[in-house]
Amino acid sequence: MGTINHPDLQLALKDFLIEEEKLTQVVYRMTKEMKMGLSKETHARAAVKCFVTYVQDLPTGKERGKFLALDLGGSNFRVLLVIIRGDSDLQTESRTYVFPETLMTGTAKELFDFITECLVQFCRQFGLENEGLPLGFTFSFPCHQQGLSKGTLVAWTKGFRVEGVVGRNVVELLQEAITRRGEISVTVVALINDTVGTLLSTAYFNNNCRIGLIVGTGTNACYVEKTVNAECFEGYQTSPKPYMVINTEWGAFGDNGVLEFVRTPYDKVIDKETVNPGRQTFEKCISGMYMGEMVRLILIDMMAKGVMFRNESSEKLLQRGSFSTSYISDIESDAPGEYRMCNKVLHNLGLRGNQESDRLNLRYICEAVSSRSAKLCACGLVTLINKMNINEVAIAVDGSVYRYHPTYPSMLEHHMKKLLKPGVKFELVCSEDGSGRGAALAAATTVKNK
Ligand code: BGC
């Protein structure tokens, strides 16, 4: 980042430039919180839940079969057909359906009927109505699983607030909706988180893969833990299988106040605006659902103080959510000294930005928000790698922020290297269609185990 000339802007961005000492402290605190989540005794009151996923085997490449998969949890809803032929041969057909925003705050029946409607359409299109296919369901919200095909929703995140789902088994809700509709023969056999899907689909090709990370609308990670440490799993001491994939649900880190030392006043404003105030503290500092809004808040603050875009006003910018997170990626993809994308963004917002300093400062704001996100995310990954105590690991990553922000992967890598013990090697692998393929692979293990 260059030099910020204006003292007010400098002050506003100071808190985003978290120094290394504080990052080390974040790792330390997260380690503690994760241990609480894993332990039977403290799990109930832990903020970072570290849910047992019941996924104990990573794919071997030998899985076979034809599966349906559903992917719900970000801005799109998808249905997939995955044909696994073995020897790393995965063939996928998928359709993306527009997810009506009204469903995010509707009722359980509306939500599951919509999902079933899309599934029926998809099955008709591919002539799969009567094949009795097994289905893997990627449902990217915190679930307390009681088995691979049973899990109750603990809380909604990412702006969802559908009535009648919290505390219910989502597999049952989906299966009931399919039965109610009565047009297709499909059995839901696996419920997984998107982080787990990402891990599984990459592990299929890469046998060093032990972590699945999402930095998209929301953020979260899963990792491979020793079964003996997964105390909330009934058979943790006697299981013949040595490993258990743990869904950390790290988005909730800080919900008990332990992250206050890195939060900024803007984070508090964001939190108040959301449908789940006080919840998903770490996620709100990191993920795509909030980054653009963070930039917008800083920007209107700077405009109100007369620091930026003097004598200009933008009705649009005053609207919540008007600064899309994708604008951050756009602005940061301009070469230094160039403002092609930046000008487009300004135009969209109805701003002229005649002063070069305005455009430069806007870039600084974007950089402050995205680099803080990458730093905190690096802390999370370092916590997991330290916890596993391994010297080499591949990390499967997916999500729009990671994929589309021009420097996010390199920032993440840079900060991880600074925080990790010397000699620990890691590789960030961008996962292709993890949620969908992963759900099919999870479904495949259930069929194999029968
Ligand atoms: C959810 C996680 C999910 C993550 C990424 C979070 O809001 O709680 O379950 O993995 O978003 O989609």
Side-chain angles (χ1 to χ4, degrees), residues 7 28 84 102 123 180 209 239 252 273 304 321 330 349 357 402 422 449:
Y28 174 76
I84 315 175
T102 49
C123 286
R180 196 160 56 233
C209 196
S239 170
E273 285 179 354
D330 293 342
L349 294 169
S357 63
Y402 184 85
N449 287 339

Side-chain angles (χ1 to χ4, degrees), residues 38 41 149-150 155 174 237 279 286 364 381 448-449:
L38 283 172
E41 207 185 307
S149 61
K150 187 174 181 192
L174 175 60
Q237 282 164 319
R279 289 249 158 102
I286 292 181
Y364 289 151
L381 289 175
K448 194 177 71 183
N449 287 339

